[in-house]
Amino acid sequence: MAPVVPAIAMELKPALPMPAAYFFRLALIVGLALVQRAASHEHHDDKIPEGEAISPDPIDTTLWIHIIVQILAFGLIFPTGMVLGLTRPQIVRSRWHVPLQTLGAIIALLGYFLGHAHGGRQFAPNIHASFATILMLLLLVQVLFGIYLKLHLEKKSQTTIHTRIRRYFVLTHGVIGKIMPVVSWVQMLFGGITALGFCRDDHMGQCLAHFIMGSAFIGYGIVLTILLLVGQAWLQRTGRSQEFFDSLLIAAWGCVNTFTEHRWGGPWVKNDLQHTSMGIVWWCAGLLGLWLSRKRDGRPKRNLIPAMVILITGWAMSAHPQSLELSTHVHTVFGYTLMAAGAARIIEIAFVLRDRGSVDEEGKGDEASSWQYLTPFLLYASGLLFMGATEEQMAFLSNAHIHVSHVSYILILYSIAFLLFLFVAMLLNLYAAHAWPTNQPAATKKAGSGVANGAVPLTNGHIDRRVRDAEEFELEGLMSDDDDDDGNKGGREGEGGKHSQGT
């Protein structure tokens, strides 16, 4: 790969049109400016009291604009643009992926410089500032890869080097695009922690536990939503039930918790025993769930073990001893919410689906059962409640000038959960609307012999045209229509024009 970069650089000048060359140079200049700005930026900390992480000054307007702008770019625009760029051009043909991501990059760049130009509150050196440069450089690489793929230099160059390396650029561009929402979520959490000066010294371990576990619950809810609405074709191709993967993750997480929640060789303090025993329950139940996830003939089978683990975990957390009354109330509601999620999942599998993969065995419906939306939402709410129940947050709210009751605080967190669920559902609806247009004719044949969750070929009420179309998903969807058409021209001619322009 060493000769590749010089070879590309030599060809850029004659191969690139003037606008493209301009954007390439601009992107490189911006990258150098980011590095220089990060290296030269001085963190003023003369007003920070000794032993504290922030000064008592309020957050100024510039920093508030930075927060709003970055949430807009990384929390809304980039995930939407990613969804528009996921599917194949023959299915989506979206013209908004590139403009939307370009707009997001411009807004993110503006927000980055605003973050270095604020006054008001001062901050000690922190993880949010350090990670910001890494995130922006990752974004810069993504933009450069996107420009390169859009230019199609393999068609203009006299050599074959661009043809050889294009597939690697496509792969890397796709991987970075898919991890950006996760990385952005982490950076936004770092920002909130830094703004309030939390998670330092003795609070670090407890803070990490709350934010990692809370994010895990939210991530699990998002995965359940994806599988419920658009992911059943993938699950069908794996030949395993959803509980197999759930049990596998539960067992792995339980093993980690068993050996990390207590400092072995030291004394047992506070809630060490409860956390460790919870880890033991997780890997024991996970092993059982794995065993029960297949029938004797090897076909996938539904089971209730993962749901039972969620319910038991909720019960344990609802009885978690706390030092503050507000913290006790929040942890109690968190535990009840998690118990409700487990109970809702049990009812869904045992009574709504009756161990089948979908409510409609004939596959006539086009939507999931309304009950099936309950478990993901409760997981979103559980994650937010747990992330909002750290020791420092509870102490901050208890000492606030405005009286904050546990009722008002919990209602605010539930409101955020509703909005988060709405955004995820909108993104999945956007994906489905472009991938499976309503005017597309339904398929007349069944979608293969494999069945998801050991039930019928049509899962969660999706008609089999969706299964057929989803099976055509490939990574080449990040490439343009012209490139895909050239690459598949011979195959289409050999198939006698089987793939029409409308598929």
Side-chain angles (χ1 to χ4, degrees), residues 145-159:
F145 276 36
I147 295 175
Y148 173 80
L149 294 174
K150 192 66 177 177
L151 291 175
H152 289 283
L153 296 183
E154 73 282 356
K155 297 180 180 179
K156 306 171 185 178
S157 175
Q158 301 298 323
T159 65

Side-chain angles (χ1 to χ4, degrees), residues 1 49 77 126 159 162 191 195 240 246 382 387 394 397 411 418 501:
M1 292 297 293
I77 295 178
N126 55 81
T159 65
H162 295 291
R240 298 184 183 277
D246 294 348
S382 299
M387 291 170 61
M394 296 295 93
L397 293 174
L411 288 179
F418 279 116
Q501 190 72 10

Side-chain angles (χ1 to χ4, degrees), residues 2 33 37 61 63 72 93 118 224 295 298 326 474:
R37 180 69 177 176
T61 304
L63 192 55
L72 176 64
R93 294 188 178 275
H118 70 86
L224 288 183
K295 298 180 180 179
L326 176 62
E474 295 176 359

Side-chain angles (χ1 to χ4, degrees), residues 472-494:
E472 296 176 358
F473 174 87
E474 295 176 359
L475 187 59
E476 285 84 1
L478 294 169
M479 304 171 69
S480 71
D481 296 357
D482 294 337
D483 182 66
D484 191 86
D485 291 340
D486 292 342
N488 294 294
K489 183 177 181 181
R492 292 179 182 176
E493 292 176 353

